Amino acid sequence: MPNKQGLTELEELYIQVQRKVSTQWHKRLDSLVSGSQALILRILDRNGPLKVSTIAERLDITPGAVTSLSDKLIACGYANRNRDTADRRVVHLEITDQGREILAKYREVLKSTVESIFVGLSDDDIAHLTRIYQQVLANIEQPREEKMK
């Protein structure tokens, strides 16, 4: 663990980077679809039609949140709700061709955004940063009880 001075500098840098990345992200990407909506479109594009509950599980959010996000996607023409032919009570969410188009645009803008943020870093720096991000994600995803052991 870093010493107190190092941690204070890390905290300050983290806050600055987080705020600036968030600003860039919202400026460039939110005009297309929100990050959460893009995740739903990516899941549907990869997996085909899915139930709202399945999408909610994959995103670790409530089915109500998925319904709200999907209402916006449907209103924009990026997704459709379809009833299951075998069980009419079951509703699937499905990406449309227009949804695939906006997802492709989103991916292009995402790629250029990430490239502009990390421009000037060497391949070694990117490899180290990737390893660090993987560890940070593992730390976040690790259940709290395990951290306390």
Side-chain angles (χ1 to χ4, degrees):
M1 193 70 185
N3 62 33
K4 267 193 168 181
Q5 180 62 33
L7 189 57
T8 301
E9 183 179 2
L10 176 62
E11 290 168 350
E12 290 173 11
L13 285 171
Y14 173 78
I15 290 167
Q16 288 176 24
V17 168
Q18 181 67 26
R19 291 171 88 198
K20 290 183 186 286
V21 167
S22 181
T23 298
Q24 287 297 311
W25 207 265
H26 292 297
K27 251 190 237 180
R28 295 176 181 211
L29 293 163
D30 281 356
S31 63
L32 299 171
V33 290
S34 73
S36 296
Q37 290 169 325
L39 285 173
I40 290 173
L41 290 175
R42 283 175 56 189
I43 289 170
L44 293 173
D45 190 45
R46 285 183 184 155
N47 300 287
L50 294 171
K51 295 189 295 185
V52 167
S53 59
T54 303
I55 297 168
E57 283 177 31
R58 291 187 185 183
L59 293 178
D60 197 25
I61 60 176
T62 66
V66 174
T67 297
S68 176
L69 291 164
S70 61
D71 286 346
K72 294 172 188 172
L73 291 171
I74 291 164
C76 292
Y78 302 149
N80 288 321
R81 280 192 189 95
N82 297 311
R83 297 231 176 249
D84 188 292
T85 54
D87 185 348
R88 302 274 307 146
R89 296 170 295 175
V90 177
V91 178
H92 291 101
L93 193 60
E94 180 176 26
I95 190 170
T96 64
D97 289 340
Q98 194 175 353
R100 284 186 186 85
E101 289 173 18
I102 199 71
L103 183 59
K105 286 179 190 173
Y106 186 91
R107 286 177 171 147
E108 288 173 23
V109 175
L110 175 63
K111 182 175 174 48
S112 70
T113 301
V114 170
E115 287 173 352
S116 72
I117 290 170
F118 295 105
V119 69
L121 294 180
S122 69
D123 289 344
D124 283 345
D125 289 340
I126 296 293
H128 289 302
L129 196 52
T130 299
R131 180 189 52 76
I132 291 166
Y133 280 162
Q134 288 170 341
Q135 181 61 56
V136 169
L137 280 173
N139 293 347
I140 291 168
E141 292 171 355
Q142 183 180 22
R144 183 179 169 96
E145 305 85 47
E146 288 183 26
K147 289 180 185 179
M148 301 187 95
K149 286 182 183 178

